Amino acid sequence: IRGSARRNLESAEAAYASAGGDATTLVDAARTLLDVEVERVRAVAHLEEAIAAFERAVGQDVVTKAGGS
């Protein structure tokens, strides 16, 4: 979805730059990409919260953190 939203924005930018697109389409494409990015960040946050809750429940780390030893 993220790639599709990004390509849609790039297409809208190109159309707008060549006077073949309108500002509304450009802004809508940018908003859609931003919405997708926000949802991705929310999903990652929810995952991290679930992992933390699980680790508290079992009393130990169950996921090796990136860069950890």
Side-chain angles (χ1 to χ4, degrees):
I1 293 176
R2 197 165 103 192
S4 176
R6 187 175 310 281
R7 285 188 299 277
N8 189 32
L9 175 58
E10 290 168 356
S11 176
E13 287 173 333
Y16 185 77
S18 68
D22 60 88
T24 302
T25 300
L26 178 60
V27 170
D28 188 49
R31 182 194 48 77
T32 298
L33 178 58
L34 180 60
D35 288 346
V36 168
E37 292 291 342
V38 167
E39 286 305 312
R40 184 187 67 81
V41 169
R42 284 183 179 148
V44 169
H46 288 152
L47 176 61
E48 292 292 333
E49 289 172 356
I51 290 170
F54 183 72
E55 288 177 339
R56 283 190 304 275
V58 298
Q60 64 182 7
D61 288 346
V62 293
V63 177
T64 302
K65 307 288 189 271
S69 47

